[in-house]
Amino acid sequence: MAIPRIGVFICHCGTNIGGVVNVPEVVEYAKGLPYVVHAEANLYTCSEEGISSIKNNIKEHNLNRVVVASCTPRTHQPLFRNACADAGLNPYLFEFVNIREHCSWIHMQNRREATEKAKELVKMGVAKARWLEAQEEFESEVYPAAMVIGGGVAGMSAALNLANQGFEVHLVEKEPELGGRLLNLNRLFPINKAPDELVESIVKAVESHSKIKLHMPAVVKAASGYIGNFDVSIDEDGQETSFKVGVIIVATGAQVLKPELYRYGKLANVLTHLDLEQRLKDGELGEFQNVVMINCVGARIPERPYCSRLCCMTAIKNAALMKEINPEAKVYVLHRDLMTYGVEFEEYYRKAKEAGVRFIRYTPSKPPKVVGTKKVKSVKVYDELMDMEVELPCDLLVLATPLIPNDDNEELSRMLKVPIGDGGFFLEAHVKLRPVEFATDGIYVAGTCRWPADIRESVAQGYAAASEAAIPLRQGLVKVEAITATVDPRICKGCGTCVLVCPFDAIELKESKIRGLEGKIVAEVNAALCKGCGLCAAACPNRAIQQRGFTDVQLLSMVNALSGKR
Amino acid sequence: MKLPDTKEVQTEFKPKILAFCCNWCAYAGADLAGVSRFQMPTNVRVIRVMCSGRVPPELVIRALANGLDGVMILGCHPGECHYSEGNYLTRRRAHVLKRLLSYIGIEPDRFQLRWVSAAEGAKFSAVVKEAADKITALGPNRWGDKR
Amino acid sequence: MKATSEEVKTSVKKLFEDGSIGHFIGYEMGSDSLRVTPCFLKSGQAASRLVWNPLCANNLSKYLLDFGKVEGKVGIMVKGCDSRSVVELLKEHQIDRDKVFIVGVPCSGIVDREKLLAVLGVSPGEVVAVEDDGDAFLVTIKEGTRRVKKEQVLRGECLVCRYPTPVIYDMLIGEAVSSLPWVGDDYSSVKELEALSSEEKERYWSSELSRCIRCYACRNICPVCTCVECIFDKKAPRWLSKASDVSENLVYHLVRAFHVAGRCVDCGECERACPMHIPLRSLNKKVEKDILELFGYTAGIDVEQQPPLTTYQAGDLDEFL
C-alpha cells in the first residue's frame, strides 16, 4: 500500500453546517491528523466549485484518499465517489463524514461542543480512510422486465410507460378489475368530468398492450433477489406463478378511512364522500335539501396527524355538485383549514362560493355536533367568526375522511425489505432528492401508497417511477457496490461459521485451488449472491473473511481514533 | 443572581458514547432526526455499518476497554432487517455480551442494543438522550485504560 | 465395572492388531506418580505404556488436529468432557469422523493435584498411586493408604460435570456412569459473582486479571481454539496492544470467552494450564449459563445441532426495545 496522502474537504453547506460548527477550526484540526496532506473548507462541497476543487487537489497534492465532511452518504456518496473517479482515483478511496444531519443540525444550541464533535468525526473518518483500499465493482446483468404492483392509475401509468419503452411488464392487481380508487369516483376535480372516459382509455391501453402481462386478481407471495435480478412468486386466482424481473414498482394505493365519528354507519343519512360519489354514480342519492359536509374527520388528530390533501378539494367538488343538482339546496362545508393551493384549485373554490356553497370554520376543540336519533336532523357548530353556536338543518351529512395506508403494506414491506414511515405509508429514499425510489436499489414507489396524492400527481409519480426504473433496464448491467465479503484462504480454517450465518447462501466450503493451498477446505464467496451485510465478517472467529469497505482494521481504527488511541 | 461555579462546570462529566448504526434503518433514522432538527446531547458519535450484524463483540469490548463510556448498536426492528435476519443474530450476540460485560462489572446501560427504523427520527433522538442521561448518571467507565 | 489400565492396554493393542487404527493418542505416567502425560502410539506393542486413572486430566482431542494427514484411523481416548470437544471439532469440520476411532472411558472425576497435596500435606514425590473408590480416592503414600473424599480434591469442572460418560465413541471401556452424586447446582459460583455490585465485580476481576502475563497458555491448550491465525497474533489490525495492563488483559479474556461462547465444553484445560491461577472457567461458565438460559443450548452434545450464535428464533428474548 502506498503511503496514504489524505485530502479533507469540509463543507459549510451555506450556514447549515457553518452556522453552527466552526468550520475553519475543524480544517485546521484536520491538517494535523495523520497522513492528511491537504485540508480545506468549501461553501458547498457538492457544488461545481467544490467538486472541481476535489478533482484539482487530487492532482495537485497527489492525494490517494479523499474525505468529505458534509451531509449524509445516503444521498451524496455517489457524487463524491464519481468526482474521485473523474480525477483518476478509485472511488472506493473516498470516505464520508456526516457533520450536518449528525452534528450541526442536532446541536444548534451548542456550537462549541458541535465543533468538538465535528473534529472527532473527521478524525474517525480520516482514521478509516487511511485503511481504505481500491475496489473493483462487480457487474451483474439486469433481467429486462419489470413488475408493477397495483393496477390503479399510478400503477397503470407506470406499466404503460415502461411497456411503451419496450420493456416487458408484469402488472399485478389484487382486485378482479383495473382502475383502483378511480372506479369509485363520480367526478374528478377540477375538470368536473366523470372518470369513466379516463379509466376506459387507460385500462384499454393496458389490457391490449402486448408487452404488459396482466395478473388479476393476484397478490405477491414472495420476492427475493436484488436489482436486476428479482425472483417473484404470486398467487394468481389460486394458482402459484413465478417470474423474474429486474425492477419493481410499488403502486398499491391506499384506502379511505371509515370513521367512527358523527354516528357514521349508525344513522342512514351520514355518508363519506366516497359513499356519496358511489350513490351519485349509481343514481341512488335521492332527494336532499340541506347538506352539511364536515372536513378533517379523523385527520389531523393526535393518532393520525397528517393532512390527507385531497379532501378539501373533494368536498368543494361535491358541495358545488349538490348546488348544481339542486340549486335550491343549502350546502354548508364545515372545515378547519381549507387547502386549495395553486391557480386552478383556488379558482375552483371561488366558483363554489359563487354558486352558493357556504363555508364555516370550526375549531377542533369545539367540533360539530350531530342532532337526531334515527336520522341526522341538524348539525350544531360553533362558528368562530360569529363567536356563537349555529344550528344547521341537515338531511344529508357528508364526511371528508382521509386516505389511510392499506392493511397489507406491512407484509409487502417485509417481503421487499423496503421501509414504512410514519402512519404506515411507504417511505421513499429521500423526501426531496429521491422521491420515487426506495433506499433499496431497483425498487420504486408511486401514488397513494406513499402519501395521499390526487390523480394528476399519481400519474406523474407513475411516470417518474417508470423512468427511474427504466435506467437499469436500459443499461442492462448494474454495478454492485464493492462491499461484498472476501476470504483469505490462507487463514480460513473451513469451520463453516460464515456459511451458517449468511442469509443469502452466498458462501460455500470448497477445496482451495490456490497454489500452495490445494485441497484445503476453505470458504468461498459468490460475489453475485453476496449483498454486503457483513454478518460473516463479524462471526468469523479468526477474521479470515472480511467485508470490503467495512474491514476490521477500518472499523477498529475508527473506534481507536474516537477513544484517543492510535 | 449567583453565577455557576466555573470549576464545577469544567469538571462536569460528559460521557463519550459510540453508536454503530445500520445503514438502512438506524443511520437513516439518525439522518431524519437531523433533517427534523431534533436537538439532542452531543455525546454520541456514529459509525455507519451496513447491518447491525456487522458489529462484532470484539469492537464493543475494545471500545469499552479504551475508555469509551458507552457503546450502542442501533439496528432495524426485528423482522425488518434489510438483510432479513442480521438483527436477529445481533440480538442473540448482544444478549450474551451484555450479560458477560455485566459479570465483570460493566453496568448493563453502558452497552445497549436498540431498534430504530428509518422513519423514527424522534426515537433516535430519544435513544440518544436516554443513553446520555443514563451513562452520565453512571459516571466514567472504570475499565478504561486500567493499569 | 470401572475401566482399568489393563483393559485399556488390551483393547488398544487389539485395535492395532485388527487394523482398526494406525495411531493412538492416550495417557502414560509422567515425571512423578501424580502426573500423567499424553502419549502417541504407532503400534500395538507400545500399548503397554498406556494408563487410565484419576490423574488423566488432559483433554487429548486437540491433538487430533495434528493427525489430519496420516494414513489410517487415529484412535483417541476420551472422557465425557473430552468427547464433547470432539463433537465441537466435528461440528466445525476440523476433523473427519471417518478418520478417528473414539475410545470412550466413563469418568468419575479427576484429581486436582494441588488440592490433593494440600489436603494430604505431602510433597508429590511421596505419593505412590491414586485409585478411584466411589465417592473417594484411595491415595497410596509411603506411610500407607489414605481415603480422601472426592469433593475435597476434585478438579473444579468435575464438581459440576453432567456428562461423565462420553457422548460419542466407537468403543466404550467400562460401564457408563449416568450421573455423579456430588453434582448439584452447576452455576452456584457464577450466581455468587452475579449477585455482587458492579464495583465489587470490577474490583474482583481487576485483581484476578491483573495477574495475567498473556502467555496464551489458556488459548493454546483450548480444544476449541482452532484458528489458523488467532486475532491476537495479527499485526493488522492489532486488537491488543503489547502493554500488559488490566484493560488489555480484559479485552483478551472477554474476547476469548466470547469466541468460545456456545462451543466451550468446560473441560477445564484453560484453568489447568494457567500459571497465574486466574479463574478462567468462571467467565466461560457465565457464558455457558446464559446461553443455556437464553437459547436452551448446551455445547458438545450433538454434531447436527446448529451453534446458538449462528442462528435465531424470531421469538427470542427482546429486552432492548
mmCIF file of all heavy atoms in Angstrom, chain A residues 443-466:
data_model
loop_
_atom_site.group_PDB
_atom_site.id
_atom_site.type_symbol
_atom_site.label_atom_id
_atom_site.label_comp_id
_atom_site.label_asym_id
_atom_site.label_seq_id
_atom_site.Cartn_x
_atom_site.Cartn_y
_atom_site.Cartn_z
ATOM 1 N N ILE A 443 -36.071 -0.851 -6.534
ATOM 2 C CA ILE A 443 -37.475 -0.844 -6.119
ATOM 3 C C ILE A 443 -37.938 0.612 -6.006
ATOM 4 O O ILE A 443 -37.249 1.448 -5.417
ATOM 5 C CB ILE A 443 -37.691 -1.599 -4.787
ATOM 6 C CG1 ILE A 443 -37.051 -2.995 -4.870
ATOM 7 C CG2 ILE A 443 -39.183 -1.733 -4.495
ATOM 8 C CD1 ILE A 443 -37.268 -3.850 -3.640
ATOM 9 N N TYR A 444 -39.091 0.897 -6.600
ATOM 10 C CA TYR A 444 -39.570 2.269 -6.737
ATOM 11 C C TYR A 444 -40.983 2.368 -6.173
ATOM 12 O O TYR A 444 -41.659 1.365 -5.983
ATOM 13 C CB TYR A 444 -39.528 2.689 -8.213
ATOM 14 C CG TYR A 444 -38.185 2.386 -8.833
ATOM 15 C CD1 TYR A 444 -37.905 1.123 -9.356
ATOM 16 C CD2 TYR A 444 -37.166 3.338 -8.832
ATOM 17 C CE1 TYR A 444 -36.648 0.823 -9.880
ATOM 18 C CE2 TYR A 444 -35.913 3.053 -9.356
ATOM 19 C CZ TYR A 444 -35.662 1.795 -9.874
ATOM 20 O OH TYR A 444 -34.430 1.505 -10.366
ATOM 21 N N VAL A 445 -41.428 3.609 -5.940
ATOM 22 C CA VAL A 445 -42.735 3.805 -5.321
ATOM 23 C C VAL A 445 -43.488 4.921 -6.048
ATOM 24 O O VAL A 445 -42.886 5.897 -6.482
ATOM 25 C CB VAL A 445 -42.570 4.111 -3.805
ATOM 26 C CG1 VAL A 445 -41.775 5.390 -3.579
ATOM 27 C CG2 VAL A 445 -43.914 4.170 -3.092
ATOM 28 N N ALA A 446 -44.798 4.737 -6.198
ATOM 29 C CA ALA A 446 -45.612 5.759 -6.856
ATOM 30 C C ALA A 446 -47.032 5.734 -6.306
ATOM 31 O O ALA A 446 -47.535 4.683 -5.921
ATOM 32 C CB ALA A 446 -45.642 5.517 -8.371
ATOM 33 N N GLY A 447 -47.642 6.906 -6.284
ATOM 34 C CA GLY A 447 -49.061 7.001 -5.953
ATOM 35 C C GLY A 447 -49.344 7.052 -4.468
ATOM 36 O O GLY A 447 -48.470 7.346 -3.653
ATOM 37 N N THR A 448 -50.590 6.725 -4.119
ATOM 38 C CA THR A 448 -51.055 6.970 -2.753
ATOM 39 C C THR A 448 -50.543 5.969 -1.735
ATOM 40 O O THR A 448 -50.810 6.126 -0.549
ATOM 41 C CB THR A 448 -52.591 6.980 -2.708
ATOM 42 O OG1 THR A 448 -53.057 5.756 -3.279
ATOM 43 C CG2 THR A 448 -53.156 8.153 -3.468
ATOM 44 N N CYS A 449 -49.838 4.937 -2.163
ATOM 45 C CA CYS A 449 -49.246 4.068 -1.145
ATOM 46 C C CYS A 449 -48.103 4.799 -0.443
ATOM 47 O O CYS A 449 -47.707 4.443 0.648
ATOM 48 C CB CYS A 449 -48.754 2.746 -1.749
ATOM 49 S SG CYS A 449 -47.403 2.935 -2.913
ATOM 50 N N ARG A 450 -47.587 5.841 -1.074
ATOM 51 C CA ARG A 450 -46.552 6.651 -0.451
ATOM 52 C C ARG A 450 -47.169 7.719 0.453
ATOM 53 O O ARG A 450 -46.713 7.966 1.549
ATOM 54 C CB ARG A 450 -45.685 7.304 -1.546
ATOM 55 C CG ARG A 450 -44.860 8.487 -1.111
ATOM 56 C CD ARG A 450 -43.810 8.103 -0.078
ATOM 57 N NE ARG A 450 -43.220 9.255 0.588
ATOM 58 C CZ ARG A 450 -43.520 9.665 1.815
ATOM 59 N NH1 ARG A 450 -44.429 9.028 2.529
ATOM 60 N NH2 ARG A 450 -42.925 10.716 2.346
ATOM 61 N N TRP A 451 -48.270 8.355 -0.064
ATOM 62 C CA TRP A 451 -48.798 9.530 0.612
ATOM 63 C C TRP A 451 -50.063 9.914 -0.146
ATOM 64 O O TRP A 451 -50.129 9.661 -1.355
ATOM 65 C CB TRP A 451 -47.760 10.662 0.508
ATOM 66 C CG TRP A 451 -47.845 11.705 1.565
ATOM 67 C CD1 TRP A 451 -48.067 13.034 1.379
ATOM 68 C CD2 TRP A 451 -47.701 11.507 2.958
ATOM 69 N NE1 TRP A 451 -48.071 13.669 2.577
ATOM 70 C CE2 TRP A 451 -47.850 12.766 3.569
ATOM 71 C CE3 TRP A 451 -47.479 10.390 3.785
ATOM 72 C CZ2 TRP A 451 -47.789 12.937 4.958
ATOM 73 C CZ3 TRP A 451 -47.405 10.566 5.155
ATOM 74 C CH2 TRP A 451 -47.552 11.828 5.724
ATOM 75 N N PRO A 452 -51.063 10.513 0.470
ATOM 76 C CA PRO A 452 -52.232 10.912 -0.302
ATOM 77 C C PRO A 452 -51.839 11.809 -1.489
ATOM 78 O O PRO A 452 -51.092 12.765 -1.322
ATOM 79 C CB PRO A 452 -53.068 11.691 0.712
ATOM 80 C CG PRO A 452 -52.698 11.073 2.019
ATOM 81 C CD PRO A 452 -51.241 10.731 1.903
ATOM 82 N N ALA A 453 -52.322 11.429 -2.671
ATOM 83 C CA ALA A 453 -51.999 12.182 -3.881
ATOM 84 C C ALA A 453 -53.233 12.174 -4.765
ATOM 85 O O ALA A 453 -54.002 11.216 -4.732
ATOM 86 C CB ALA A 453 -50.832 11.530 -4.616
ATOM 87 N N ASP A 454 -53.417 13.226 -5.556
ATOM 88 C CA ASP A 454 -54.561 13.201 -6.462
ATOM 89 C C ASP A 454 -54.159 12.489 -7.749
ATOM 90 O O ASP A 454 -53.031 11.997 -7.878
ATOM 91 C CB ASP A 454 -55.122 14.617 -6.686
ATOM 92 C CG ASP A 454 -54.175 15.516 -7.462
ATOM 93 O OD1 ASP A 454 -53.253 14.993 -8.119
ATOM 94 O OD2 ASP A 454 -54.365 16.746 -7.423
ATOM 95 N N ILE A 455 -55.088 12.443 -8.700
ATOM 96 C CA ILE A 455 -54.848 11.626 -9.889
ATOM 97 C C ILE A 455 -53.677 12.157 -10.705
ATOM 98 O O ILE A 455 -52.814 11.410 -11.140
ATOM 99 C CB ILE A 455 -56.135 11.565 -10.729
ATOM 100 C CG1 ILE A 455 -57.146 10.723 -9.964
ATOM 101 C CG2 ILE A 455 -55.877 10.969 -12.099
ATOM 102 C CD1 ILE A 455 -58.559 10.962 -10.377
ATOM 103 N N ARG A 456 -53.668 13.478 -10.858
ATOM 104 C CA ARG A 456 -52.596 14.081 -11.634
ATOM 105 C C ARG A 456 -51.242 13.728 -11.023
ATOM 106 O O ARG A 456 -50.305 13.345 -11.719
ATOM 107 C CB ARG A 456 -52.792 15.601 -11.644
ATOM 108 C CG ARG A 456 -51.674 16.343 -12.296
ATOM 109 C CD ARG A 456 -52.046 17.757 -12.630
ATOM 110 N NE ARG A 456 -52.828 18.414 -11.573
ATOM 111 C CZ ARG A 456 -53.291 19.660 -11.679
ATOM 112 N NH1 ARG A 456 -53.078 20.357 -12.760
ATOM 113 N NH2 ARG A 456 -53.976 20.202 -10.701
ATOM 114 N N GLU A 457 -51.155 13.856 -9.685
ATOM 115 C CA GLU A 457 -49.880 13.540 -9.022
ATOM 116 C C GLU A 457 -49.550 12.058 -9.123
ATOM 117 O O GLU A 457 -48.397 11.672 -9.302
ATOM 118 C CB GLU A 457 -49.951 13.955 -7.545
ATOM 119 C CG GLU A 457 -50.015 15.456 -7.370
ATOM 120 C CD GLU A 457 -50.467 15.871 -5.973
ATOM 121 O OE1 GLU A 457 -51.157 15.078 -5.295
ATOM 122 O OE2 GLU A 457 -50.146 16.987 -5.572
ATOM 123 N N SER A 458 -50.588 11.230 -9.005
ATOM 124 C CA SER A 458 -50.354 9.778 -9.084
ATOM 125 C C SER A 458 -49.827 9.388 -10.459
ATOM 126 O O SER A 458 -48.907 8.569 -10.570
ATOM 127 C CB SER A 458 -51.648 9.020 -8.795
ATOM 128 O OG SER A 458 -52.050 9.259 -7.473
ATOM 129 N N VAL A 459 -50.419 9.982 -11.495
ATOM 130 C CA VAL A 459 -49.955 9.689 -12.857
ATOM 131 C C VAL A 459 -48.501 10.151 -13.012
ATOM 132 O O VAL A 459 -47.645 9.416 -13.510
ATOM 133 C CB VAL A 459 -50.865 10.372 -13.903
ATOM 134 C CG1 VAL A 459 -50.256 10.256 -15.301
ATOM 135 C CG2 VAL A 459 -52.257 9.754 -13.865
ATOM 136 N N ALA A 460 -48.231 11.376 -12.516
ATOM 137 C CA ALA A 460 -46.872 11.912 -12.633
ATOM 138 C C ALA A 460 -45.873 11.030 -11.894
ATOM 139 O O ALA A 460 -44.773 10.752 -12.391
ATOM 140 C CB ALA A 460 -46.824 13.339 -12.094
ATOM 141 N N GLN A 461 -46.284 10.548 -10.720
ATOM 142 C CA GLN A 461 -45.373 9.680 -9.953
ATOM 143 C C GLN A 461 -45.183 8.342 -10.650
ATOM 144 O O GLN A 461 -44.091 7.763 -10.625
ATOM 145 C CB GLN A 461 -45.915 9.457 -8.537
ATOM 146 C CG GLN A 461 -45.813 10.703 -7.673
ATOM 147 C CD GLN A 461 -46.443 10.498 -6.298
ATOM 148 O OE1 GLN A 461 -46.575 9.375 -5.835
ATOM 149 N NE2 GLN A 461 -46.839 11.583 -5.670
ATOM 150 N N GLY A 462 -46.260 7.853 -11.263
ATOM 151 C CA GLY A 462 -46.147 6.607 -12.025
ATOM 152 C C GLY A 462 -45.128 6.758 -13.144
ATOM 153 O O GLY A 462 -44.258 5.907 -13.336
ATOM 154 N N TYR A 463 -45.235 7.863 -13.865
ATOM 155 C CA TYR A 463 -44.269 8.115 -14.947
ATOM 156 C C TYR A 463 -42.859 8.264 -14.386
ATOM 157 O O TYR A 463 -41.887 7.750 -14.947
ATOM 158 C CB TYR A 463 -44.642 9.393 -15.704
ATOM 159 C CG TYR A 463 -45.860 9.266 -16.595
ATOM 160 C CD1 TYR A 463 -46.522 10.407 -17.070
ATOM 161 C CD2 TYR A 463 -46.354 8.016 -16.984
ATOM 162 C CE1 TYR A 463 -47.633 10.302 -17.889
ATOM 163 C CE2 TYR A 463 -47.469 7.909 -17.797
ATOM 164 C CZ TYR A 463 -48.103 9.055 -18.252
ATOM 165 O OH TYR A 463 -49.203 8.948 -19.053
ATOM 166 N N ALA A 464 -42.764 9.006 -13.271
ATOM 167 C CA ALA A 464 -41.432 9.255 -12.681
ATOM 168 C C ALA A 464 -40.794 7.937 -12.253
ATOM 169 O O ALA A 464 -39.615 7.676 -12.539
ATOM 170 C CB ALA A 464 -41.565 10.197 -11.484
ATOM 171 N N ALA A 465 -41.574 7.104 -11.570
ATOM 172 C CA ALA A 465 -41.036 5.814 -11.114
ATOM 173 C C ALA A 465 -40.622 4.973 -12.312
ATOM 174 O O ALA A 465 -39.571 4.324 -12.308
ATOM 175 C CB ALA A 465 -42.074 5.075 -10.272
ATOM 176 N N ALA A 466 -41.462 5.000 -13.371
ATOM 177 C CA ALA A 466 -41.149 4.211 -14.565
ATOM 178 C C ALA A 466 -39.853 4.699 -15.205
ATOM 179 O O ALA A 466 -39.019 3.899 -15.628
ATOM 180 C CB ALA A 466 -42.295 4.295 -15.564
#
